[in-house]
Amino acid sequence: MNARKIKNKFQDIKSDLPASIVVFLVAMPLCLGIAMASGAPLFSGLISGIIGGIVVGALSGSPLGVSGPAAGLAVIVLNAITDLGGFEIFLVAVIIAGIIQVILGYLKAGIIAYFFPSSVIHGMLAGIGILIFSKQIPPALGSTKKLSFSEFFNIIQEAHMGVLIISVTALALLLIWSTDWFKKQSFTKIIQGPLVAVISGILLSIGLASIPELAVKSEQLVRVPIATSFDNFIGNFRLPDFTALSNPKVYITAVVIAVVASIETLLCVEASDKQDPLKRITPTNRELKAQGIGNIIAGLIGGLPVTQVIVRSSANQQAGGKSKLSTVFHGILLLISIILIPTVLNLIPLGTLAAILFVVGYKLAKPSLFVKMYKEGMGQFVPFVITVAGIVFTDLLTGIALGMLVAVFIILRNNFKVPYKRVHQNGDKKSIFRIELAEDVTFLNKASILSTLNEIPHDSSVIIDATHTRFIHHDVIEIIEDFTVNAKVRDITVETICLYKDKEEEPIQHFKLSKE
């Protein structure tokens, strides 16, 4: 390794190490929360966070992507554990899902990521940002209730003043740390705002403990399982029940997990690459293999399914991560923390973590993003908004599916409407209509072209120009031929340009006309 590469690696470590601390602070509560939402042991979420950081991070080619347990799979996991009859049986499905993902990687299925339009990807990011922001309101106010319209005012009225003070302080510190003056200071490269917010939260929580009405309760703090011995620590790991291999439901669950986890990963890869200031491209097939290996290991030792996750990936990018070293470091920090300092972690108020996630959520769903998408036109804005609304009011996959349907509909509609340009000129004796065909004319354009040709008035001239057309469907050729025959009856003169190379040759591209 030459001196330049060594210097670049050192520069990456200087950025990646502080970024990994931020990702670690974001990942810890998410790993626990997703495990709880999935109806799985809390420790299983931490296991997946560690695997997603160390194993997947090392094998992946994604420079900024961070993997771990995904909120988008929580409902699937919850139902699967119930339907299969236990967590240990579910782990077998996770292993098989990982094997399927590795196979998909070797089959080069990662290309599917490039078929999702940017409007849907931006909508996914914004929708997740809104959900993250809204779901942190209860913990920021000291409530353990889930946010809903019926509970919203109760949560506000029952706000815990001690937690509110901690949340507001943390948010203020994060905003101060993000100002231009602080960004220019050298110490902020290492001492990141979220770390300052967490330390302030711990100190405030300890200080307010002496004031009964402001004291933070145990349920308002992070709760990490504490192992009192090595055997106790090892006991937190769960082993799969391989007798379930004869259960057909296990294979069905495995396929569902593999497909959903792969789609979520590929979408997050696309989104992470778009956020990368250096615009590096992640090898998607390698990513599928890395995720598959991660899930195989997760299933073997009692973890939840892992995917690349946009919240932690965004936090990594926003904290200044430069390479996948930050992902690996965050996994190591998760492992060290649950072994050495679980008691310290349990001093962190959930209100502090809520403040950190407020900032992450806002950055994903900035009002300026909505303005930008609107200025790009309805073709971009409508799928974007539909994706956002679908994710917020249903779930991640439904929102993406709705956005894709709308985006595809708009594409088809545009193809249907704009296969050509029609120009009307007044000649000496006849009206002249010039129809300039687009670069691609598909069978979807049949109806509009047929309608336009039928509207050509009697006793006129028509020029059908295919000079710039590289692709024209056989059905469209037939419509033009039929019109040419019918035009003689209507006293319409028809001239075609470049529709054929000459009378003996084939039409554009490779479409053959049947004369039989």
Side-chain angles (χ1 to χ4, degrees):
M1 188 178 289
N2 58 38
R4 181 185 294 274
K5 287 184 177 179
I6 293 174
K7 183 179 179 181
N8 289 340
K9 283 289 183 184
F10 181 71
Q11 292 293 337
D12 286 346
I13 291 174
K14 285 175 63 179
S15 300
D16 289 334
L17 188 56
S20 69
I21 296 173
V22 175
V23 180
F24 158 72
L25 294 172
V26 171
M28 175 63 75
L30 288 176
C31 289
L32 295 170
I34 291 167
M36 185 177 296
S38 302
L42 291 181
F43 201 74
S44 66
L46 297 173
I47 291 172
S48 294
I50 294 167
I51 292 171
I54 299 174
V55 178
V56 179
L59 297 175
S60 168
S62 179
L64 296 177
V66 181
S67 297
L73 284 170
V75 175
I76 294 173
V77 173
L78 177 64
N79 293 335
I81 292 173
T82 304
D83 293 341
L84 295 176
F87 184 67
E88 288 76 9
I89 298 175
F90 168 74
L91 292 177
V92 179
V94 176
I95 295 171
I96 298 172
I99 294 171
I100 294 172
Q101 285 186 296
V102 172
I103 293 171
L104 289 174
Y106 279 106
L107 293 176
K108 302 188 183 303
I111 195 172
I112 192 175
Y114 301 112
F115 289 94
F116 289 87
S118 61
S119 58
V120 174
I121 294 171
H122 286 306
M124 180 189 75
L125 293 173
I128 291 173
I130 292 170
L131 284 180
I132 291 169
F133 191 97
S134 62
K135 288 186 177 181
Q136 301 318 305
I137 293 174
L141 298 175
S143 175
T144 57
K145 296 177 180 178
K146 289 185 177 181
L147 183 66
S148 65
F149 184 78
S150 58
E151 292 286 354
F152 180 73
F153 294 104
N154 290 333
I155 291 171
I156 293 177
Q157 290 172 355
E158 298 169 6
H160 189 286
M161 291 307 298
V163 175
L164 184 59
I165 290 171
I166 291 171
S167 301
V168 171
T169 302
L171 186 58
L173 287 170
L174 291 167
L175 294 176
I176 290 170
W177 234 254
S178 64
T179 59
D180 291 337
W181 186 85
F182 267 85
K183 286 180 179 179
K184 293 175 182 177
Q185 307 308 308
S186 58
F187 67 87
T188 60
K189 298 294 182 183
I190 298 175
I191 306 174
Q192 295 279 329
L195 179 60
V196 177
V198 166
I199 293 172
S200 73
I202 292 175
L203 294 177
L204 277 173
S205 178
I206 294 172
L208 295 173
S210 59
I211 307 173
E213 58 270 23
L214 298 180
V216 179
K217 301 174 184 177
S218 60
E219 63 267 23
Q220 295 165 338
L221 299 170
V222 167
R223 288 180 286 182
V224 177
I226 299 176
T228 56
S229 66
F230 179 75
D231 290 339
N232 189 226
F233 176 74
I234 295 299
N236 287 317
F237 293 87
R238 309 282 279 274
L239 301 177
D241 180 3
F242 286 110
T243 61
L245 285 171
S246 59
N247 185 350
K249 289 184 178 179
V250 169
Y251 297 94
I252 296 172
T253 302
V255 171
V256 171
I257 292 172
V259 171
V260 174
S262 297
I263 291 175
E264 285 201 30
T265 290
L266 293 173
L267 287 176
C268 289
V269 163
E270 183 79 358
S272 298
D273 286 351
K274 285 185 179 297
Q275 290 183 313
D276 183 7
L278 300 179
K279 301 303 177 187
R280 291 165 288 186
I281 303 298
T282 297
T284 52
N285 296 316
R286 177 178 170 182
E287 186 68 27
L288 285 179
K289 296 172 190 175
Q291 296 291 337
I293 293 171
N295 277 321
I296 292 171
I297 297 174
L300 287 171
I301 63 175
L304 293 175
V306 298
T307 73
Q308 189 172 131
V309 278
I310 194 60
V311 176
R312 276 153 273 187
S313 300
S314 297
N316 187 22
Q317 182 268 328
Q318 292 163 12
K322 298 295 184 185
S323 75
K324 63 181 183 178
L325 288 175
S326 61
T327 301
V328 176
F329 287 157
H330 116 275
I332 294 172
L333 287 174
L334 282 172
L335 178 60
I336 292 172
S337 65
I338 63 175
I339 294 174
L340 299 180
I341 56 167
T343 305
V344 175
L345 294 176
N346 286 345
L347 294 175
I348 302 173
L350 293 176
T352 299
L353 299 175
I356 294 172
L357 292 171
F358 273 146
V359 175
V360 172
Y362 175 80
K363 287 183 177 180
L364 288 174
K366 285 183 178 179
S368 59
L369 174 62
F370 286 77
V371 174
K372 174 178 175 290
M373 297 303 294
Y374 179 77
K375 288 181 177 179
E376 290 182 1
M378 289 296 107
Q380 287 286 93
F381 186 67
V382 173
F384 167 77
V385 170
I386 293 294
T387 304
V388 172
I391 290 173
V392 171
F393 294 108
T394 57
D395 56 63
L396 180 66
L397 290 175
T398 302
I400 292 170
L402 289 172
M404 282 297 296
L405 286 173
V406 173
V408 170
F409 172 78
I410 290 174
I411 291 170
L412 295 177
R413 180 172 175 270
N414 289 340
N415 278 334
F416 178 82
K417 290 177 61 179
V418 195
Y420 56 85
K421 180 173 71 175
R422 170 177 152 174
V423 180
H424 179 207
Q425 299 172 296
N426 288 318
D428 294 335
K429 297 181 179 180
K430 293 184 175 182
S431 293
I432 302 172
F433 295 87
R434 186 181 189 88
I435 298 175
E436 297 178 4
L437 297 180
E439 186 176 3
D440 295 312
V441 184
T442 72
F443 71 95
L444 297 170
N445 307 132
K446 288 166 56 179
S448 57
I449 290 177
L450 181 61
S451 175
T452 297
L453 292 176
N454 286 337
E455 290 173 1
I456 300 295
H458 289 60
D459 194 26
S460 58
S461 294
V462 179
I463 301 171
I464 301 175
D465 187 353
T467 303
H468 303 293
T469 304
R470 64 176 181 82
F471 174 93
I472 186 167
H473 197 273
H474 171 75
D475 291 357
V476 177
I477 293 283
E478 283 191 337
I479 287 173
I480 294 172
E481 284 197 325
D482 291 344
F483 171 74
T484 303
V485 173
N486 179 258
K488 296 175 182 178
V489 180
R490 299 166 56 191
D491 293 325
I492 298 174
T493 304
V494 180
E495 178 186 353
T496 60
I497 300 175
C498 293
L499 193 63
Y500 302 90
K501 296 175 184 176
D502 59 46
K503 292 183 180 179
E504 284 75 35
E505 294 188 0
E506 306 290 347
I508 296 167
Q509 279 286 31
H510 48 74
F511 289 102
K512 297 181 180 180
L513 290 178
S514 174
K515 299 296 183 181
E516 299 176 1

